[in-house]
Amino acid sequence: MTVSVSRAEPAKRAGAGKPVEAGKRVETGKRAEEREKLCPHRLVLEHVTSRWGVLVLIRLLERPHRFSELRRAIGRVSEKMLTQTLQTLERDGLVHRDAHPVIPPRVDYSLTGLGREAAEQVRALAGWTERRMADVERARRAYDEARTP
């Protein structure tokens, strides 16, 4: 079960005694707890290798970013998806969120030591895909040609 709270609503409490902050989506109930208990390493792998997780980690390897500049650097990611991705990576201990008490509000995101380690692995995989893309494309063409009637 997923609970979604709009930004306009005040913070509420939902399922399993977990607080739900405005704008967050939180999986609640037994299903979420069981999934996390059964395969915690799989969940972290999903978070690190997700569509936006990979791009966030690689960008934050360069330097800390504010939300808006991170969104521009990644491109084509909605505010909602970037927010969820950052919250998930923060919960996993990979991203640090530094909110400055100034007007207008300023929030910087950076990698933790654990996050830097994960990001370097992800960057290596991304580099491999760039270097080997021609080989992948050849393999795809050969596969498609072998199956074309």
Side-chain angles (χ1 to χ4, degrees):
M1 173 178 167
T2 302
V3 176
S4 182
V5 179
S6 73
R7 292 198 184 285
E9 292 181 45
K12 294 182 178 179
R13 296 188 68 75
K18 296 179 184 177
V20 176
E21 296 176 25
K24 288 190 177 182
R25 290 175 56 88
V26 178
E27 239 184 10
T28 60
K30 282 186 176 182
R31 185 175 176 198
E33 291 173 12
E34 288 172 8
R35 186 170 181 231
E36 195 164 334
K37 284 179 185 175
L38 289 175
C39 301
H41 61 280
R42 269 191 183 172
L43 278 178
V44 174
L45 187 59
E46 284 177 23
H47 300 161
V48 169
T49 60
S50 70
R51 178 179 183 179
W52 304 115
V54 167
L55 299 175
V56 165
L57 291 171
I58 290 172
R59 284 293 175 186
L60 290 178
L61 261 176
E62 299 167 3
R63 63 178 175 80
H65 283 71
R66 292 178 75 173
F67 183 89
S68 57
E69 63 182 354
L70 186 57
R71 187 170 177 215
R72 279 191 302 273
I74 292 172
R76 298 187 64 199
V77 60
S78 70
E79 184 176 322
K80 177 183 174 183
M81 282 310 304
L82 182 56
T83 298
Q84 288 177 354
T85 300
L86 287 166
Q87 288 170 346
T88 298
L89 296 174
E90 182 183 8
R91 181 172 185 256
D92 288 343
L94 306 176
V95 169
H96 174 71
R97 181 181 187 272
D98 187 16
H100 303 277
V102 296
I103 308 247
R106 178 186 170 130
V107 179
D108 293 312
Y109 294 92
S110 59
L111 293 175
T112 63
L114 190 61
R116 181 162 295 286
E117 185 180 337
E120 287 168 354
Q121 299 297 319
V122 168
R123 182 172 60 184
L125 181 59
W128 177 85
T129 61
E130 285 181 36
R131 289 189 308 277
R132 302 303 297 229
M133 197 61 213
D135 296 320
V136 170
E137 288 172 344
R138 272 193 297 281
R140 286 176 177 171
R141 277 193 304 276
Y143 179 92
D144 293 345
E145 288 171 5
R147 280 152 186 79
T148 303

